């Protein structure tokens, strides 16, 4: 079993749609959680950190469920520019080493 | 503020040649990570340093790969001799440490012919 698992997609949605991605992780000692975004032929970029209480940044909402060991990302009012691969990222234990999921592909179409 | 700076952006070379990839950390960051990304294997951590000290090199594929951090702001990743299966995008990332997120450079696209 992979340490971080994501549905690879692709998710094909129309502009304005709401879309949600889930991610599961296997290490119950994980402390930090992030969503990164990666555009084609570009580097991964931090989208948002994920906090235990859940957090929102504009159209993006992240949730963490420690009991079930899953993380979610909700994107409201999808834009064409949201098309990218979304990477779920977890640290193994306290410290710097991050584990990246394989990513979920989102395609927003007009 | 300058981000993580990698060079070269692209490298095409013949198998057997030595390849050196370079990375400059963000000022104030003390941890550095080298990753490799391919379609088949995704993003893999090769090695990381804290305060110039290599902490975990378990991801380094073979002895042909070596990484150094001669000072607090700079690192190199060398492949010698290079092989076609080393072709990938190599990313460098840095962080302030602890549970902080990592910030990536633009990557080096390496093609070994």
């Amino acid at each position: 079993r992979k340490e971080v698992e994501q549905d690879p997609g692709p998710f094909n949605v129309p502009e304005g749609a709401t879309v949600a991605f889930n991610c599961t992780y296997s290490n119950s000692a994980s402390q930090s959680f992030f969503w990164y975004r990666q555009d084609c032929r570009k580097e991964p970029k931090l989208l948002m950190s994920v906090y235990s209480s859940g957090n929102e940044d504009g159209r993006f909402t992240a949730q963490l469920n420690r009991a079930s060991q899953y993380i979610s990302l909700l994107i409201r009012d999808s834009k064409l520019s949201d098309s990218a691969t979304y990477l779920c990222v977890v640290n193994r234990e306290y410290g710097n080493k991050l584990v990246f999921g394989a990513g979920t592909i989102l395609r927003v179409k007009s | 503020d300058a981000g993580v700076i990698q060079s070269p952006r692209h490298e095409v070379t013949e198998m057997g040649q030595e390849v050196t990839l370079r990375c400059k950390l963000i000022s104030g960051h003390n941890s550095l990570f080298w990753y490799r990304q391919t379609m088949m294997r995704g993003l893999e951590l090769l090695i990381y340093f804290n305060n110039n000290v290599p902490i975990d090199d378990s991801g380094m594929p073979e002895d042909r790969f070596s990484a150094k951090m001669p000072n607090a702001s700079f690192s190199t990743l060398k492949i010698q001799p290079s092989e076609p299966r080393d072709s990938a995008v190599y990313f460098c990332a840095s962080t302030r440490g602890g549970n902080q997120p990592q910030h990536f450079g633009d990557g080096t696209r390496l093609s070994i012919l």
Side-chain angles (χ1 to χ4, degrees):
Chain A
R1 183 188 171 189
K2 293 181 181 177
E3 286 190 69
V4 178
E5 297 213 52
Q6 297 182 249
D7 181 344
F11 286 63
N12 295 304
V13 303
E15 274 187 289
T18 295
V19 62
F21 309 136
N22 288 331
C23 159
T24 57
Y25 61 95
S26 60
N27 189 338
S28 59
S30 296
Q31 298 279 334
S32 303
F33 310 89
F34 308 97
W35 282 102
Y36 277 68
R37 169 195 170 127
Q38 187 171 24
D39 292 281
C40 187
R41 301 179 71 81
K42 297 282 190 180
E43 76 277 17
K45 290 185 178 177
L46 177 67
L47 178 65
M48 59 197 302
S49 301
V50 185
Y51 303 119
S52 297
S53 54
N55 48 300
E56 190 173 304
D57 182 1
R59 298 181 293 109
F60 299 85
T61 300
Q63 297 277 355
L64 169 63
N65 185 320
R66 285 188 185 270
S68 301
Q69 294 180 206
Y70 84 76
I71 307 153
S72 65
L73 177 68
L74 183 78
I75 305 175
R76 291 182 298 278
D77 189 22
S78 300
K79 311 290 184 191
L80 293 174
S81 57
D82 293 334
S83 297
T85 298
Y86 290 83
L87 303 167
C88 176
V89 185
V90 174
N91 85 326
R92 285 207 170 120
E93 292 175 3
Y94 183 82
N96 299 341
K97 194 169 180 178
L98 300 181
V99 180
F100 285 76
T104 298
I105 297 170
L106 172 65
R107 297 182 185 139
V108 181
K109 303 193 175 183
S110 58
Chain B
D1 288 342
V4 174
I5 299 172
Q6 290 188 245
S7 65
R9 292 292 301 275
H10 304 271
E11 172 109 9
V12 180
T13 192
E14 292 185 348
M15 65 179 293
Q17 298 298 307
E18 178 179 291
V19 172
T20 300
L21 309 181
R22 297 174 176 80
C23 175
K24 185 176 186 302
L25 283 71
I26 293 173
S27 178
H29 285 195
N30 60 0
S31 297
L32 178 140
F33 304 79
W34 282 103
Y35 292 90
R36 177 171 70 176
Q37 188 172 38
T38 61
M39 287 291 293
M40 290 296 293
R41 300 174 68 90
L43 196 61
E44 303 173 279
L45 177 66
L46 301 177
I47 185 172
Y48 82 94
F49 297 81
N50 280 352
N51 297 315
N52 306 6
V53 177
I55 301 300
D56 184 345
D57 65 355
S58 59
M60 295 286 263
E62 297 170 36
D63 291 345
R64 299 184 295 107
F65 285 68
S66 63
K68 292 183 180 179
M69 200 165 172
N71 59 55
S73 61
F74 182 73
S75 177
T76 58
L77 177 69
K78 282 191 179 181
I79 309 173
Q80 168 61 22
S82 57
E83 296 182 4
R85 60 194 167 118
D86 301 332
S87 298
V89 181
Y90 289 80
F91 289 108
C92 174
S94 72
T95 180
R96 292 185 187 279
N99 290 335
Q100 298 301 305
Q102 297 174 13
H103 299 270
F104 284 74
D106 291 340
T108 295
R109 297 189 176 281
L110 178 64
S111 295
I112 308 297
L113 306 177

